[in-house]
Amino acid sequence: MNVNLTLPYSYDFDRALERLAGNPVHSVNLEQRCVHVPMDEGNIVTVQATGTLYEPSFIIKGVYSEKQLDHIKWVFHFEESLDGIAVHFSKTDLAPIFKEHLGTPLVRSFSLYGELMKSIIHQQLNMSFANVLLMRFVEKYGSEIDGVWVYPEPERIATVPVEELRELQFSTRKAEYVIGLSQAIASNVLDLESLREKSDEEVTTELTAYRGVGPWTAQGFLMFGLGRANLFPVADVGLQNALKKLWQLDRKPTQDEMRARFQDWSPYLSYAALYLWRSIEVSPMK
DNA sequence: TGCCAGGAATTGC
DNA sequence: GCAATTCATGGC
């Protein structure tokens, strides 16, 4: 079925699409203002913008059920206003950045498992090479439904030998991280769905117990996987560079310097991080 | 051409 | 306990 949706507050779907397009696994069409979302049930849902920043409306095509529609609303944060958050930041040093990127939402990952795999693959690598590795991973082990790439099942990756990922140019350690975590998930030792109900602290403790998951990866999972509002990954080089630029430093800020100054942004640290990343990303629309 | 990259584990003192 | 080193390879 197709559903029309109108929001009573500002929401910039085109900016959301720009960010989604940064991940080559995603199927985004900027001209048609839409993205294709693979669902757990195996179908593909298309979300397309039909409105504007201040009068946002959408058509959601191909949802099977009310449950699927709720999931789409959850993924795109359709039922929470960004306007209050923008007001919060208007009183901080991030005001110019929030004005520039007004209405940019925190879109959740389409797959919790995919978010974890992506995070580990991206660790310590420049974006372009990290995305090459990610696409090799998805093309080799994932599937393609109607032209839309879908992350593999953890059960598949759990059986992959380290040497096979080495052929894709994974480091040995990175291969071990990806396989080990997939084994834990496939064997139900780690239940990603259950993390939805747990606190930020509980999720961090549970995830960082695994090799390959440190603070940065756990915070990224909370922010983009679960959509939690108050995380700021101080280990992130992109955020360090964004703050170097904002604060006009001649070097990257230390993690302590970042923590000392981000209290004003709480309880929306995730949005501060999101908008800071945007502030140093080149916009293909401009 | 080295240094750096949307880190994390391991080693060394 | 910490700081330094290692991991692997492409990008600039």
Side-chain angles (χ1 to χ4, degrees):
Chain A
M1 63 176 172
N2 296 346
V3 176
N4 289 296
L5 186 68
T6 301
L7 306 184
Y9 30 74
S10 57
Y11 189 110
D12 194 333
F13 196 69
D14 297 304
R15 288 260 169 76
L17 291 179
E18 271 182 29
R19 242 195 101 67
L20 288 173
N23 179 349
V25 176
H26 290 147
S27 181
V28 173
N29 189 321
L30 296 176
E31 292 74 32
Q32 294 183 18
R33 308 179 71 200
C34 70
V35 58
H36 304 291
V37 183
M39 307 295 283
D40 286 345
E41 293 78 5
N43 57 310
I44 303 290
V45 168
T46 300
V47 182
Q48 182 171 31
T50 53
T52 64
L53 166 61
Y54 293 109
E55 293 184 352
S57 61
F58 310 90
I59 180 163
I60 301 164
K61 304 176 191 172
V63 282
Y64 278 3
S65 61
E66 203 65 32
K67 183 186 166 193
Q68 286 204 338
L69 180 59
D70 286 343
H71 179 70
I72 291 292
K73 289 177 179 174
W74 182 80
V75 164
F76 288 93
H77 266 292
F78 277 155
E79 297 191 313
E80 292 171 64
S81 171
L82 290 160
D83 295 337
I85 297 173
V87 170
H88 173 79
F89 281 99
S90 69
K91 294 166 261 178
T92 72
D93 54 343
L94 293 183
I97 289 175
F98 270 76
K99 190 174 178 185
E100 165 71 24
H101 301 283
L102 177 68
T104 304
L106 178 60
V107 177
R108 293 178 167 103
S109 308
F110 301 161
S111 156
L112 295 183
Y113 173 68
E115 173 63 31
L116 264 186
M117 295 298 104
K118 181 173 95 76
S119 289
I120 291 173
I121 289 169
H122 269 254
Q123 286 171 6
Q124 175 58 20
L125 298 177
N126 64 74
M127 293 296 286
S128 62
F129 180 54
N131 280 328
V132 168
L133 283 190
L134 181 63
M135 268 323 280
R136 285 179 187 160
F137 178 76
V138 173
E139 287 176 351
K140 186 169 177 72
Y141 302 108
S143 55
E144 199 177 6
I145 303 174
D146 298 337
V148 179
W149 283 108
V150 183
Y151 285 98
E153 297 297 321
E155 289 76 9
R156 172 73 183 95
I157 305 305
T159 66
V160 170
V162 168
E163 305 77 57
E164 209 171 279
L165 288 176
R166 286 285 296 137
E167 291 170 11
L168 303 186
Q169 291 183 289
F170 281 54
S171 66
T172 301
R173 285 207 296 222
K174 192 161 286 196
E176 289 169 353
Y177 297 163
V178 162
I179 294 166
L181 207 47
S182 297
Q183 288 172 341
I185 296 164
S187 61
N188 276 329
V189 173
L190 173 58
D191 178 6
L192 295 182
E193 290 299 321
S194 74
L195 299 181
R196 295 176 191 273
E197 316 301 326
K198 298 181 179 175
S199 69
D200 290 356
E201 291 72 22
E202 289 171 319
V203 173
T204 300
T205 301
E206 190 163 342
L207 287 181
T208 55
Y210 293 91
R211 283 186 79 235
V213 183
W216 178 86
T217 303
Q219 288 160 348
F221 181 85
L222 283 162
M223 192 181 313
F224 291 111
L226 301 180
R228 303 289 171 86
N230 204 30
L231 282 300
F232 198 90
V234 289
D236 187 273
V237 174
L239 292 179
Q240 292 166 12
N241 285 326
L243 288 174
K244 175 188 173 187
K245 181 180 172 188
L246 177 72
W247 292 340
Q248 300 181 335
L249 307 174
D250 56 4
R251 53 166 178 78
K252 289 179 292 190
T254 66
Q255 297 190 8
D256 283 338
E257 287 169 340
M258 297 166 80
R259 289 191 194 92
R261 295 185 64 175
F262 72 34
Q263 298 308 328
D264 288 348
W265 307 333
S266 189
Y268 300 113
L269 293 177
S270 301
Y271 288 87
L274 174 66
Y275 283 58
L276 281 166
W277 274 314
R278 286 305 290 165
S279 74
I280 55 167
E281 287 167 356
V282 282
S283 168
M285 300 296 283
K286 292 185 177 177

